[in-house]
Amino acid sequence: MTDNTSTAEGQGWSFRLGADEAGRVVRALGEYEAAHPGEPVPVGDVIRKITGREPTRSDVLPPKVDPAAVGPSWEVGPFKMGLMPSAQLAGLEFTAADGRAQVAVLTLRELAALGPLFEQATGDGSRVDVAAACRDLIGRDPFENAG
């Protein structure tokens, strides 16, 4: 990751995005990756450029996580996303209307393809069939085996 923001040991950063911002960020991440194949994606820089904002600092990272390997995180409706740019992966948490949370791991490409789901879910997310939308957009239900 080419984000040069210095953080104290044990600090992380996150962005809180609206649906329109999340869609633009996901598209911009995909465009950057396509234009710079094989290069690390400067996720923080892309989000800053799209939103015009700095991330929110947090004091505690999850245990046993190398702070340099953790990218930004953000929320859109019932979804929380966290990026691991060095691994080209994203964690996606979905909280259903009944309060049940499910977590899945996706590639950055899959996350980018889910943009329409995030836009739809910010309206009345309780009416979105997340499993069907994921199958349509990325060809699989990433929450199928989630506990």
Side-chain angles (χ1 to χ4, degrees):
M1 182 163 153
T2 60
D3 179 57
N4 294 325
T5 304
S6 61
T7 60
E9 187 173 328
Q11 281 193 325
W13 43 278
S14 66
F15 287 88
R16 203 167 175 83
L17 303 177
D20 62 321
E21 290 177 320
R24 291 192 329 257
V25 165
V26 168
R27 281 188 292 280
L29 290 170
E31 290 168 4
Y32 186 94
E33 185 178 41
H36 304 89
E39 291 182 23
V41 178
V43 178
D45 293 342
V46 170
I47 294 175
R48 282 183 189 91
K49 181 178 177 186
I50 297 298
T51 65
R53 295 190 312 270
E54 286 297 312
T56 303
R57 299 282 177 191
S58 63
D59 292 331
V60 181
L61 286 172
K64 297 182 182 178
V65 173
D66 175 9
V70 178
S73 63
W74 65 93
E75 296 179 30
V76 178
F79 296 97
K80 292 180 183 174
M81 292 155 256
L83 302 182
M84 293 179 53
S86 61
Q88 297 291 301
L89 295 174
L92 179 63
E93 178 181 314
F94 168 66
T95 303
D98 65 3
R100 257 180 331 124
Q102 297 179 331
V103 178
V105 175
L106 302 132
T107 65
L108 293 182
R109 200 166 293 218
E110 287 176 320
L111 182 64
L114 291 178
L117 170 63
F118 304 139
E119 291 173 16
Q120 182 182 8
T122 58
D124 184 5
S126 63
R127 296 183 184 198
V128 176
D129 183 343
V130 174
C134 288
R135 283 191 294 273
D136 288 345
L137 295 168
I138 63 172
R140 69 183 184 99
D141 175 5
F143 301 105
E144 184 173 39
N145 295 319

